[in-house]
Amino acid sequence: MDNPSAEQSLPNDEILAELERRIENDSSSLDSMRLASSPIDAALVEEHKKRFELIDNLAMPIRTALDRTETPPQIPDYCELKEIGRGGMGVVYRAEHLKTLRTDAIKVIRPDRLASVDSERAVHLRNRFKREWELAGRVSHEHIVPVYHVGEIESGMWFSMLYVDGPTLHECTRGQSWAPEKIARTMECIARAVAAVHRRDILHGDIKPHNILIERETDRPLISDFGLAEFVSLHSDGQYLGIAGTPAYMAPEIANAALSGVGSEEAAAIRSVSSDIYSLGATLWSALAGRSPCHEGRTLQQQMEDVVSRNMLFADKQNGCIPVGLDRICQKCLEQNPTERYRSALELADDLAGWLSRPSWNRHFPGLRQLLVLVVAPVLAASGILVTFLLTAKEVNEAWIGLAMLWGYGPLFATFWASQRSSRTNSPARRELWSIWIGHFCASIACLTACRIFSQGDTRLTVAVFYPSWAAISSVTFFAKSGNFWITYRWFGVVWSIAAVVMTIDPILSPTIFGVLAAISAVATARGDREFGEP
């Protein structure tokens, strides 16, 4: 420390205390202290880390001995307390309730943390601890960890809650293969729980995979931690900003507020239902991708800046590990503009439920995509051309024309039959697909019969009236499918509506126009509807 420049860059006691706290919590995250706005010299940070590690190693035997002799606090009506977790501000014990014999989790505020701060900060931490049980206790939901009892003891405050025997969503989706359906089902439950929280005018503020517990026996997900989210401390002009949350799951408006240097009260006013929606989307994406939405090796402030500038992993459109339908839901949650996100967590839950009930054709009808392109499309085009050819003949054969008109349904139904899988789980998808196109076939037969009666047996007039009507029926079908399948089907419906009008201009060419358009629709459906490509 003989270097004068290093002597001048010595940080004050507050910054040193922050360094020590961060090293104690996670020495691997020391790089997060190298903020662009921080006056801490990088060499000084490394030197401080080395000295801390040296002292830490020397003190290890003493600390181990003290930890072994540390006894759990005495909590009324509870016995056999066993520590199962320790955070920056609280300790969690597993204990048995004497009257109900139920195993609960007890969270106790750490007295050493209260003793290490000034009185004003201690009051703030106690209020924050109290706020957790008050907020969690106000909402009763099967997917929210319930609070049972609260109280104070000589060493501090405590509250008991449901003991969840199981891992977090973060642990379940890192290095393990959870199916997208299971993740979507889990997040649907959590979204409905968050919706219940919002109905009570409460914002969670720190939704992330680490705060979602998965009950081991039932796989039931529960959301926890309503008040003990770690503060993200940014140093700016000597002031620390209290912005609760984790950058990777923090909404851009919150991260921007933190970077702008607003006070904690102003930051709290910025939080909204939309910021919780963003966190739900980031959590869903993280669980599906099996990694954090932030790039690795980024400092705390860089992560904040990445959130604001949308330099996030979920912005990479080349990410093929997430099903298209779920990625679309994620992206809506993760919109930069809060007004473009879901208006409520309930809407998000409903969309997830819709995705879960939505058939994946490649799973229920393997090979259907190829059959549509290689079999159905050519047959449809040939059918229309054949009808036009028969209409131009000197003698019009009504039976052959009728057969050529409806010939395309045969290969279509044959491909459905050949590619479908027979199982109870596939039954709803099979019923839905068959009902759509059998309905289309029945409507076409009824329309053809009505047109023949109307034209009094004139085959050319029957064809001239039928094809525009048939196109209109197809338009309705595609509009109906867009509500539950691929949203682009609505544009297919628009094209078919226009075609219905165009076909009235030249009745002779209308079969060819219909056949070619039907073939294009089959190919576009097979290639464009990404549900065919999902496993």
Side-chain angles (χ1 to χ4, degrees):
M1 301 302 294
D2 295 333
N3 188 346
S5 61
E7 191 73 12
Q8 293 174 357
S9 63
L10 282 173
N12 57 35
D13 291 342
E14 188 177 9
I15 297 176
L16 282 174
E18 178 67 10
L19 270 171
E20 292 170 1
R21 187 185 70 83
R22 289 192 171 274
I23 295 172
E24 182 182 1
N25 287 345
D26 185 3
S27 60
S28 65
S29 66
L30 184 65
D31 285 344
S32 66
M33 289 302 298
R34 299 193 185 96
L35 307 179
S37 60
S38 174
I40 305 176
D41 182 80
L44 183 61
V45 171
E46 292 297 339
E47 183 179 351
H48 187 82
K49 178 183 177 182
K50 291 178 181 177
R51 293 187 179 186
F52 184 90
E53 289 176 345
L54 176 61
I55 297 172
D56 191 53
N57 290 333
L58 291 173
M60 182 63 69
I62 301 174
R63 183 181 295 109
T64 303
L66 288 174
D67 287 344
R68 287 175 180 171
T69 59
E70 182 180 349
T71 57
Q74 296 294 318
I75 306 294
D77 295 328
Y78 281 96
C79 67
E80 299 182 10
L81 272 69
K82 181 180 179 181
E83 184 176 329
I84 57 175
R86 181 179 290 258
M89 202 183 86
V91 184
V92 181
Y93 297 93
R94 184 180 62 203
E96 182 178 321
H97 191 255
L98 293 173
K99 295 180 180 178
T100 62
L101 302 182
R102 179 186 60 215
T103 300
D104 293 345
I106 300 177
K107 186 172 287 187
V108 181
I109 194 168
R110 289 179 58 177
D112 59 318
R113 285 291 180 255
L114 296 177
S116 63
V117 297
D118 57 39
S119 59
E120 183 179 350
R121 177 67 173 168
V123 170
H124 173 75
L125 293 177
R126 289 173 65 88
N127 289 339
R128 188 168 143 213
F129 190 89
K130 182 180 179 182
R131 184 169 61 99
E132 178 174 11
W133 80 57
E134 288 178 343
L135 296 183
R138 286 177 60 185
V139 185
S140 177
H141 194 276
E142 60 178 328
H143 296 292
I144 295 177
V145 176
V147 171
Y148 296 140
H149 307 284
V150 300
E152 292 193 39
I153 53 178
E154 185 177 350
S155 57
M157 308 166 73
W158 66 274
F159 65 89
S160 65
M161 54 189 169
L162 172 69
Y163 170 66
V164 181
D165 180 19
T168 65
L169 182 62
H170 172 82
E171 294 167 341
C172 289
T173 55
R174 294 301 190 272
Q176 301 183 39
S177 55
W178 260 31
E181 288 79 11
K182 188 173 183 178
I183 294 173
R185 194 171 294 109
T186 297
M187 289 306 301
E188 180 201 349
C189 295
I190 295 301
R192 296 195 187 282
V194 172
V197 171
H198 289 168
R199 283 195 295 271
R200 292 283 188 172
D201 297 324
I202 300 171
L203 300 175
H204 188 282
D206 194 33
I207 301 169
K208 55 185 178 182
H210 312 68
N211 288 342
I212 297 172
L213 306 174
I214 308 298
E215 207 167 40
R216 201 180 305 277
E217 290 187 1
T218 63
D219 271 351
R220 177 172 62 133
L222 297 103
I223 190 166
S224 63
D225 285 345
F226 277 77
L228 288 180
E230 180 66 18
F231 275 107
V232 176
S233 299
L234 290 182
H235 183 274
S236 178
D237 298 328
Q239 298 295 322
Y240 286 92
L241 308 177
I243 307 295
T246 304
Y249 307 95
M250 185 181 293
E253 59 271 20
I254 306 299
N256 187 58
L259 292 171
S260 301
V262 302
S264 56
E265 292 185 3
E266 295 175 79
I270 296 172
R271 289 197 181 279
S272 65
V273 168
S274 290
S275 59
D276 270 358
I277 298 295
Y278 182 97
S279 299
L280 283 168
T283 299
L284 172 61
W285 188 95
S286 176
L288 290 166
R291 54 182 170 172
S292 167
C294 281
H295 293 276
E296 294 182 3
R298 306 288 283 172
T299 65
L300 189 63
Q301 179 155 330
Q302 287 172 339
Q303 289 181 32
M304 291 279 194
E305 292 168 350
D306 287 348
V307 171
V308 175
S309 63
R310 201 174 172 79
N311 179 30
M312 306 289 284
L313 291 175
F314 55 71
D316 183 6
K317 298 301 181 182
Q318 302 302 316
N319 184 11
C321 64
I322 299 177
V324 175
L326 286 180
D327 187 58
R328 191 161 48 240
I329 292 174
C330 288
Q331 296 302 327
K332 186 170 182 179
C333 294
L334 297 168
E335 287 287 350
Q336 202 79 350
N337 186 347
T339 61
E340 295 179 4
R341 300 171 199 156
Y342 287 101
R343 290 177 296 177
S344 68
L346 194 58
E347 283 189 10
L348 168 59
D350 289 343
D351 262 14
L352 288 170
W355 183 86
L356 286 166
S357 63
R358 173 178 176 166
S360 180
W361 303 121
N362 197 41
R363 181 182 301 110
H364 305 306
F365 294 86
L368 182 57
R369 166 181 268 181
Q370 288 76 15
L371 291 173
L372 285 173
V373 174
L374 300 177
V375 178
V376 176
V379 169
L380 291 174
S383 173
I385 294 172
L386 180 60
V387 172
T388 297
F389 174 77
L390 293 174
L391 286 173
T392 57
K394 291 182 180 180
E395 294 186 6
V396 177
N397 189 312
E398 184 179 17
W400 280 106
I401 289 178
L403 181 62
M405 290 168 66
L406 302 175
W407 179 37
Y409 284 108
L412 181 65
F413 291 147
T415 58
F416 289 170
W417 183 268
S419 63
Q420 72 180 0
R421 284 178 175 168
S422 296
S423 70
R424 183 173 297 179
T425 57
N426 296 335
S427 184
R430 294 202 315 274
R431 286 199 304 269
E432 190 158 17
L433 191 65
W434 279 103
S435 63
I436 288 172
W437 289 107
I438 289 176
H440 189 278
F441 174 71
C442 293
S444 300
I445 294 293
C447 183
L448 179 60
T449 303
C451 290
R452 190 180 186 283
I453 295 173
F454 173 77
S455 63
Q456 298 179 351
D458 186 335
T459 303
R460 285 190 172 88
L461 181 58
T462 299
V463 171
V465 177
F466 172 67
Y467 270 97
S469 303
W470 205 7
I473 292 172
S474 300
S475 172
V476 173
T477 300
F478 280 111
F479 272 118
K481 287 171 65 180
S482 71
N484 193 41
F485 300 116
W486 188 27
I487 195 65
T488 309
Y489 282 138
R490 67 174 62 170
W491 298 110
F492 284 33
V494 171
V495 172
W496 277 101
S497 298
I498 296 172
V501 178
V502 172
M503 288 177 193
T504 60
I505 299 174
D506 191 337
I508 301 298
L509 285 178
S510 62
T512 298
I513 295 173
F514 186 96
V516 171
L517 184 56
I520 293 173
S521 297
V523 173
T525 295
R527 297 299 184 191
D529 191 342
R530 299 298 295 273
E531 293 295 322
F532 282 106
E534 292 190 13

